[in-house]
Amino acid sequence: MTPDVVTGDPMAMLCLHCARRIVSPKTSSPYMGLESHLKFRAAFTDRVTLKFARIDGLIGTNLPMAAYRDPLWWSNNSTSAHAKAWLEAGWEVQDVNFKDGTVTFNKVRKLARKPKKKSLEITQPFTPVPVRPLRSKIPSKTKAAKLYARIKNLERQRNSLQQIRGLKGRLHYQNRRDKNKQQ
């Protein structure tokens, strides 16, 4: 149980399912894509001709079969969900061409634009957030000693590899052979 979100009363408890339904966003119509496209086009033109395939892309699914056959489906009746999309955007269907698969919309009214947010007036000078100065990162003595030991070991390895690669020194079996000759 959680506090009631609508009334703000912490004493009135709701189940989590009811609280989720209240807080979650409302489901939108599948024709919302068409509506937003027509609202966008309203700024540029008074007439829009769209192919059925383009409308399919805007709504994210295929139109019902009635849209491809029945002119009543394209009527400007505000009781249907699909017609509400273009009517709320300020458009009406003028012509449907089933042979070419196109629909022509006419703009019937301008939508009221949302007023821009007023810019906030600056009353005080800008004061940056205080920042702590960075500490110098000096490694500890043990870290420095380990690093120094690694460097020395790498130098030793390089020196020993050069002798083997170049065969500058005498090989151990040559030393034994020379000792046996001397005796």
Side-chain angles (χ1 to χ4, degrees):
M1 299 300 244
T2 61
D4 188 359
V5 179
V6 175
T7 61
D9 182 14
M11 301 311 285
M13 301 302 264
L14 290 173
C15 70
L16 290 175
H17 178 69
C18 296
R20 183 178 49 89
R21 259 190 307 147
I22 293 170
V23 174
S24 65
K26 304 290 183 209
T27 56
S28 61
S29 167
Y31 299 98
M32 198 66 164
L34 175 63
E35 181 180 346
S36 62
H37 179 75
L38 290 173
K39 283 181 181 178
F40 172 74
R41 294 291 299 266
F44 305 107
T45 184
D46 292 336
R47 172 178 264 167
V48 174
T49 301
L50 295 173
K51 291 192 175 244
F52 291 160
R54 176 71 174 133
I55 295 173
D56 288 344
L58 290 170
I59 65 173
T61 185
N62 291 335
L63 287 168
M65 289 307 295
Y68 296 100
R69 298 181 186 145
D70 188 11
L72 289 177
W73 195 89
W74 294 101
S75 65
N76 295 313
N77 186 0
S78 63
T79 58
S80 58
H82 56 275
K84 278 183 188 177
W86 61 73
L87 291 173
E88 288 179 8
W91 295 80
E92 285 186 352
V93 174
Q94 179 193 8
D95 183 41
V96 180
N97 187 342
F98 292 106
K99 183 179 179 185
D100 296 337
T102 60
V103 180
T104 304
F105 294 96
N106 267 352
K107 185 167 58 169
V108 291
R109 64 180 166 84
K110 288 189 174 185
L111 294 178
R113 291 187 174 233
K114 294 179 183 177
K116 292 184 179 180
K117 293 182 181 178
K118 294 180 180 178
S119 62
L120 299 174
E121 293 183 22
I122 300 173
T123 56
Q124 297 177 349
F126 175 73
T127 54
V129 178
V131 180
R132 293 187 323 191
L134 294 174
R135 293 185 293 163
S136 61
K137 295 187 177 185
I138 301 172
S140 67
K141 291 183 180 179
T142 48
K143 286 183 181 177
K146 286 180 181 179
L147 184 63
Y148 182 73
R150 285 184 188 153
I151 292 171
K152 284 295 184 183
N153 285 337
L154 288 172
E155 287 176 0
R156 288 185 197 125
Q157 285 177 353
R158 280 195 205 118
N159 290 337
S160 67
L161 287 177
Q162 287 176 354
Q163 289 178 355
I164 293 172
R165 282 187 192 150
L167 299 175
K168 292 181 181 175
R170 295 178 68 139
L171 298 175
H172 66 283
Y173 66 87
Q174 289 176 340
N175 290 338
R176 284 189 204 158
R177 187 181 62 196
D178 290 343
K179 285 183 185 177
N180 289 340
K181 285 184 183 179
Q182 289 175 359
Q183 290 176 1

